[in-house]
Amino acid sequence: MKLRPAFALIAILFSFIVSKAQSWQSTDYGIRTSVADQTIEIQFYSHSVVRVIKLPAGKKFDKESLSVTGTPQKTVMTVKKEGQFLNIRNAKIRVQLNLSSGAISYYTREGAPLLKEKDEGAVFTPFDDAGNGTFNVQQSFVLDSDEAIYGLGQQQRGKMIQRNLRLHMVQGNTDDYIPFFQSVKGYGLFWDNYSPTQFADNPDSTFFRSEVGDGIEYYFMYGGNADGVISCMRELTGQAPMFPLWTFGFWQSKERYKSQDELVGVVKKYRELGVPLDGIIQDWQYWGNNYLWNAMEFLNPEFYDPKKMVNDVHNQNAHMIISIWNSFGPHTKQYNELEKIGALMDFRTWPESGSEKWPPNQDYPSGVKVYDPYHPAARDIYWKYLNAGLFSIGIDGWWMDSSEPDHLQAKPSDLNNKTFLGSFRKVRNAFPLMTVGGVYQHQRALSSGKRVFILTRSAFAGQQRYGANTWSGDVFASWNTLRNQISAGLNFSLCGIPYWNSDIGGFFLNAYPGKLKDPEYRELYVRWLEFGTFCPMMRSHGADAPREIYQFGNKGDKAFDAIHKFIKLRYSLLPYIYSSSWDVTANNSSMMRALVMDFARDKNALDINDQFMFGKSLLISPVTRPMYVKKTVIGKDSLMVEDFNTIKTKETYLPAGCYWYDLWTNERFSGGKKVIKETPIDIIPVYVRSGSILPIGPSVQYAEEKKWDDLEIRIYPGTDGKFALYEDENDNYNYEKGIHSTIDLNWDDRKKTFTIGDRNGSFPGMPEIRIFRLVLMDRSPMSENELTTKAGKRIEYSGKKLSVKL
């Protein structure tokens, strides 16, 4: 059939467009092409990590990522055009680009589907960002209908699986958003954008949409499992350094100690009571009035000799960290210097009034302003005063409050504030990354004798590289809030940031007007502390009432004794905890582990939001409902009273694939079923996975009191097991130079043989000879009160390999 001229012209044009759309070129790290008025570039950062860039045709993209520290690598790959698809294969994955629609799909090397973009899923909408012409950017994906995904930062929603939800991702006090999720299928996706972002998941699609972007940029990574994905994320955005051993002990704080005598007295009281303690924290207003906000000096006369205060804490074998903020009062030296370089932002922040009274007196505005941490000179100024006023007198670490930062009664125009890197809107969510990073980098440059430790209220992708432990913000005390902390911390950890904690007991006590006199609150506090025993930092803190152990009675009182018992348990687990932290640094592991990390094949474990693994051996099942209070009517009044006469229980699911041992009684259970555990006020369900090798440390009053030269080693049979016992100088960065030691412990379950490997490495002060007391836990009944075992087999070890038949 002969075409008429008009149709012939259309056919020629269509053929030209298709051929143009299907052209592509190789680059050093992948390919580049143009499809449907978009430029698409695919870059390989490794065999497992792919960077995708999409731009409107004719636009350029030269962004230097704030989160990503990795660089693209040349990898062995094949590129083959098959019809309208371009298939790029390497040793781990296959990436398929639809040359007609521009949609990208991801597969395993063997061809199993992982993730695909939605056809026509990339959207660029012109946007004026404070006078700069840019775009709203969106990319949509298609997930399997029953696919479990995790991550997206920390949210107070109680959800474990992050499906069927919509999030407005802007950092806040109790919500830390990270535009990253990972799938039970073993892949992860990081949306590298810092502006306010919408995440939505519905039956049709899953998408990220950000307010500001010169282009779309995201990273796809395939790790095979959750640990593998986290390893990819850390290789992309930075490794987590070691914290000092003392950070893993017990920490006491409150809002706030009002004098140096009060603060030093708390440490002294703990020592007198024989209750272990490693640190105390000084909250705000040590600088004086609000016009001097965050002066980073002790200008409050109640702190009459700051150097002596720090020395007094140190002389009691404790450490001290202190509150610092990301804003400054108008009478501070920092404010004046920052104002001169245009590094202060103009929006409402805390505190609003110069008066300390509540509510704020708006007739006397504080004038406090947030600084610009994106500005290198501003970060220099910040550290100059932090070093001069606090680090120089021996403060051990930093409590960076309001690191999101506080943005009160926010208006859209506030985001027009100019920062060193453009509008505040463009870089909004990276604020915590930049301010925490500034402190870390400056301290590391100045000193290697003390490891950086930063407790911070907010985080963004990559923050694990800056020695930061994030807490969940100023949460309100309630049983529901306690329960929500579990899934919040787990999803946060699944984003690759391994250190997280919460205010034990909740920050605000609004629901409990009786404060510590309320028996339900006392029970809540004890249960929260029991949960906190198995978090990367065990820290008691809050407003409205003090939280020191002696506020809950005396020895012999149930609350006091339960608190003391779990603090001691924390210290007995320090060899396990510190070795697990080395596993984080050396092997990209995680301390708080959602069940999907170790039991992805057990579908019953995937959506449990009130259990987790602490390290790879301990299954923790916190009690998150009241059990021992009841309402009593006296005349016309009703009172809540404690009732310990009837012991209550909690049900726990034990994942399939192994045996489980009750930590308290040593009773053994098969996995893949639910079990009931009696939970008096001083017990929560804790189970040890078969194959675990659990080192138990000495009884101490602080973490470094005794060397680990005499350890009980508990072996839980039923599965082969291994554990690497790690030791170093407990502080400083010499471990990065190889100055540390590891001892590999192995259990052969069939042969019933325990092998202690050759010691690898050394460090000053290392015990040359040590005692291991080996206890095979299948025949050792336990005492729930003291967690003691029958004496095991005593082995003297001098660093050379030896095997023992048990």
Side-chain angles (χ1 to χ4, degrees):
M1 180 180 70
K2 189 174 182 179
L3 293 175
R4 286 179 293 176
F7 285 108
L9 179 60
I10 292 172
I12 292 170
L13 287 172
F14 179 76
S15 175
F16 172 76
I17 292 170
V18 170
S19 65
K20 183 179 180 181
Q22 294 189 351
S23 64
W24 59 274
Q25 64 184 89
S26 293
T27 66
D28 288 341
Y29 308 110
I31 66 97
R32 183 185 297 116
T33 187
S34 295
V35 178
D37 296 325
Q38 294 178 13
T39 299
I40 300 174
E41 185 166 0
I42 298 172
Q43 298 177 341
F44 283 87
Y45 271 53
S46 70
H47 287 298
S48 303
V49 179
V50 180
R51 181 193 190 200
V52 173
I53 303 170
K54 296 187 178 183
L55 308 171
K59 296 294 183 180
K60 293 183 178 180
F61 189 76
D62 56 0
K63 185 185 83 173
E64 183 175 342
S65 177
L66 301 179
S67 292
V68 174
T69 57
T71 56
Q73 304 294 320
K74 290 186 177 181
T75 60
V76 177
M77 60 183 179
T78 61
V79 184
K80 186 176 182 181
K81 185 174 178 297
E82 300 173 271
Q84 66 178 4
F85 297 104
L86 193 66
N87 286 297
I88 310 165
R89 290 180 172 87
N90 67 17
K92 291 288 184 68
I93 55 177
R94 173 163 64 94
V95 182
Q96 184 181 79
L97 171 65
N98 187 321
L99 291 168
S100 295
S101 68
I104 301 171
S105 300
Y106 302 91
Y107 302 85
T108 66
R109 174 72 183 184
E110 295 72 29
L114 295 170
L115 177 69
K116 64 178 181 178
E117 296 180 351
K118 192 173 183 179
D119 286 341
E120 314 300 334
V123 178
F124 299 90
T125 305
F127 177 68
D128 183 289
D129 177 29
N132 180 54
T134 183
F135 301 94
N136 297 150
V137 291
Q138 175 178 323
Q139 179 65 59
S140 299
F141 304 87
V142 179
L143 276 60
D144 295 346
S145 60
D146 61 346
E147 183 178 347
I149 63 170
Y150 307 88
L152 299 174
Q154 169 198 277
Q155 304 151 46
Q156 305 286 336
R157 296 167 177 252
K159 284 176 66 72
M160 195 61 239
I161 292 177
Q162 303 291 291
R163 296 298 303 270
N164 303 310
L165 79 166
R166 180 180 291 268
L167 300 174
H168 180 57
M169 305 181 84
V170 177
Q171 308 293 28
N173 183 322
T174 60
D175 294 301
D176 294 332
Y177 293 109
I178 299 172
F180 168 91
F181 68 81
Q182 63 163 287
S183 166
V184 70
K185 295 166 71 174
Y187 72 81
L189 184 78
F190 171 45
W191 178 257
D192 193 10
N193 189 292
Y194 329 115
S195 69
T197 295
Q198 297 289 332
F199 172 84
D201 175 74
N202 55 57
D204 296 327
S205 67
T206 302
F207 67 80
F208 287 103
R209 179 170 61 236
S210 295
E211 289 188 14
V212 179
D214 294 333
I216 289 170
E217 180 183 21
Y218 74 84
Y219 294 81
F220 174 90
M221 57 201 75
Y222 179 64
N225 55 35
D227 279 309
V229 172
I230 286 172
S231 182
C232 290
M233 189 61 173
R234 296 218 192 117
E235 289 170 7
L236 185 67
T237 63
Q239 306 294 341
M242 289 284 288
F243 285 140
L245 177 63
W246 48 264
T247 65
F248 295 107
F250 178 66
W251 284 79
Q252 185 61 63
S253 179
K254 75 170 187 179
E255 189 286 300
R256 57 189 158 94
Y257 296 118
K258 295 184 179 180
S259 72
Q260 81 177 61
D261 291 337
E262 182 187 10
L263 181 142
V264 173
V266 171
V267 180
K268 182 179 179 182
K269 183 71 171 178
Y270 269 86
R271 294 290 180 248
E272 290 172 349
L273 290 171
V275 177
L277 178 75
D278 257 277
I280 190 145
I281 305 175
Q282 176 59 45
D283 206 340
W284 60 358
Q285 292 182 335
Y286 58 88
W287 49 71
N289 64 59
N290 288 351
Y291 301 112
L292 295 170
W293 187 264
N294 196 33
M296 298 174 177
E297 292 183 72
F298 287 93
L299 303 176
N300 183 331
E302 294 300 319
F303 297 87
Y304 50 86
D305 191 340
K307 177 65 175 175
K308 180 179 185 301
M309 174 181 63
V310 175
N311 288 341
D312 287 345
V313 170
H314 289 168
N315 289 338
Q316 296 182 80
N317 298 299
H319 292 79
M320 180 176 171
I321 67 177
I322 196 164
S323 172
I324 55 176
W325 289 62
N326 299 284
S327 53
F328 296 96
H331 294 174
T332 61
K333 301 171 186 176
Q334 296 94 323
Y335 186 104
N336 291 332
E337 284 200 44
L338 292 164
E339 187 177 42
K340 289 177 182 177
I341 64 170
L344 293 171
M345 289 190 273
D346 186 20
F347 55 78
R348 297 181 73 168
T349 191
W350 174 264
E352 295 185 87
S353 173
S355 169
E356 297 178 18
K357 292 183 179 180
W358 187 263
N361 186 338
Q362 302 293 352
D363 292 335
Y364 297 92
S366 70
V368 171
K369 289 187 177 182
V370 171
Y371 93 114
D372 176 6
Y374 310 95
H375 197 311
R379 297 194 298 271
D380 291 343
I381 292 168
Y382 192 100
W383 174 255
K384 180 177 73 172
Y385 288 101
L386 184 59
N387 178 40
L390 298 175
F391 190 61
S392 64
I393 65 170
I395 295 292
D396 298 296
W398 316 113
W399 183 12
M400 297 192 73
D401 212 335
S402 185
S403 54
E404 54 284 333
D406 276 312
H407 186 181
L408 307 179
Q409 300 179 26
K411 305 187 298 291
S413 59
D414 291 345
L415 297 178
N416 293 336
N417 267 273
K418 184 180 179 180
T419 78
F420 187 80
L421 297 179
S423 76
F424 188 37
R425 180 182 295 104
K426 182 179 180 179
V427 292
R428 171 69 181 86
N429 284 337
F431 189 101
L433 177 70
M434 300 304 292
T435 188
V436 168
V439 172
Y440 175 85
Q441 290 168 333
H442 279 92
Q443 185 176 329
R444 288 267 354 222
L446 179 66
S447 169
S448 62
K450 184 192 295 287
R451 293 178 197 165
V452 181
F453 179 71
I454 300 171
L455 176 63
T456 180
R457 198 169 77 182
S458 193
F460 194 72
Q463 203 153 309
Q464 72 280 349
R465 66 182 183 257
Y466 290 142
N469 192 321
T470 304
W471 96 92
S472 61
D474 300 337
V475 296
F476 285 80
S478 74
W479 289 98
N480 187 58
T481 301
L482 169 57
R483 185 184 183 92
N484 289 348
Q485 299 313 291
I486 301 170
S487 56
L490 294 176
N491 275 298
F492 182 83
S493 296
L494 283 163
C495 293
I497 306 179
Y499 293 109
W500 176 95
N501 69 107
S502 65
D503 289 344
I504 289 176
F507 185 74
F508 293 113
L509 304 188
N510 299 36
Y512 299 97
K515 314 304 181 194
L516 302 190
K517 294 180 180 179
D518 190 316
E520 185 175 349
Y521 178 71
R522 289 198 298 272
E523 182 179 357
L524 172 64
Y525 179 86
V526 170
R527 294 305 196 189
W528 206 315
L529 181 131
E530 291 168 352
F531 161 61
T533 302
F534 303 100
C535 291
M537 185 179 191
M538 186 183 186
R539 180 184 58 89
S540 170
H541 178 69
D544 303 324
R547 313 293 173 85
E548 297 83 15
I549 186 173
Y550 46 84
Q551 310 291 350
F552 294 87
N554 303 298
K555 290 183 178 180
D557 294 328
K558 286 189 178 295
F560 183 103
D561 288 351
I563 294 168
H564 191 195
K565 176 178 178 176
F566 273 81
I567 292 175
K568 289 196 298 181
L569 173 61
R570 174 75 173 197
Y571 280 83
S572 72
L573 292 173
L574 281 181
Y576 172 76
I577 293 170
Y578 200 53
S579 297
S580 296
S581 76
W582 169 248
D583 197 24
V584 168
T585 296
N587 303 309
N588 292 315
S589 187
S590 300
M591 295 191 75
M592 286 184 73
R593 302 174 62 83
L595 298 187
V596 67
M597 298 192 73
D598 298 291
F599 309 100
R601 294 182 180 180
D602 185 348
K603 291 186 177 181
N604 294 321
L606 300 186
D607 201 23
I608 295 177
N609 68 348
D610 66 343
Q611 298 176 208
F612 62 98
M613 297 294 292
F614 183 55
K616 295 175 180 175
S617 296
L618 300 179
L619 174 65
I620 315 301
S621 181
V623 172
T624 57
R625 63 181 179 86
M627 294 181 173
Y628 298 110
V629 293
K630 68 176 184 178
K631 185 177 290 185
T632 298
V633 178
I634 303 176
K636 295 182 179 180
D637 297 323
S638 62
L639 301 173
M640 300 298 290
V641 298
E642 293 170 327
D643 179 10
F644 297 104
N645 292 322
T646 304
I647 302 299
K648 302 299 178 63
T649 62
K650 185 187 178 186
E651 183 178 76
T652 299
Y653 178 72
L654 302 179
C658 59
Y659 296 107
W660 295 93
Y661 293 81
D662 186 321
L663 177 73
W664 308 102
T665 67
N666 209 38
E667 184 178 1
R668 190 170 93 163
F669 301 91
S670 298
K673 65 181 182 180
K674 295 179 179 180
V675 295
I676 303 294
K677 171 71 178 174
E678 288 190 344
T679 49
I681 190 63
D682 65 341
I683 294 287
I684 63 171
V686 180
Y687 297 91
V688 189
R689 187 179 184 178
S690 63
S692 293
I693 299 169
L694 191 63
I696 302 297
S699 176
V700 293
Q701 290 298 294
Y702 54 95
E704 297 182 60
E705 183 181 12
K706 298 177 183 177
K707 293 183 178 181
W708 296 343
D709 56 359
D710 188 344
L711 294 180
E712 179 180 307
I713 306 295
R714 298 182 183 177
I715 303 133
Y716 292 84
T719 312
D720 290 346
K722 62 181 180 179
F723 185 83
L725 179 66
Y726 173 83
E727 295 171 289
D728 60 20
E729 296 172 275
N730 300 327
D731 207 341
N732 74 44
Y733 287 97
N734 287 340
Y735 75 89
E736 293 182 343
K737 304 172 186 176
I739 302 175
H740 59 78
S741 80
T742 56
I743 301 172
D744 290 333
L745 310 177
N746 291 277
W747 169 247
D748 186 316
D749 197 63
R750 184 180 63 84
K751 295 181 179 179
K752 298 293 183 272
T753 300
F754 186 75
T755 300
I756 307 172
D758 290 332
R759 181 174 53 222
N760 295 306
S762 64
F763 59 92
M766 179 186 70
E768 295 296 335
I769 305 294
R770 67 175 72 232
I771 302 301
F772 289 129
R773 289 171 286 114
L774 310 181
V775 184
L776 191 61
M777 298 303 292
D778 64 345
R779 57 176 75 100
S780 300
M782 302 284 290
S783 163
E784 286 197 350
N785 289 329
E786 295 297 333
L787 258 186
T788 56
T789 63
K790 292 184 177 179
K793 189 165 186 176
R794 186 178 185 275
I795 301 296
E796 187 174 287
Y797 174 75
S798 61
K800 297 299 183 181
K801 180 178 179 180
L802 57 87
S803 295
V804 181
K805 187 107 173 153
L806 297 176

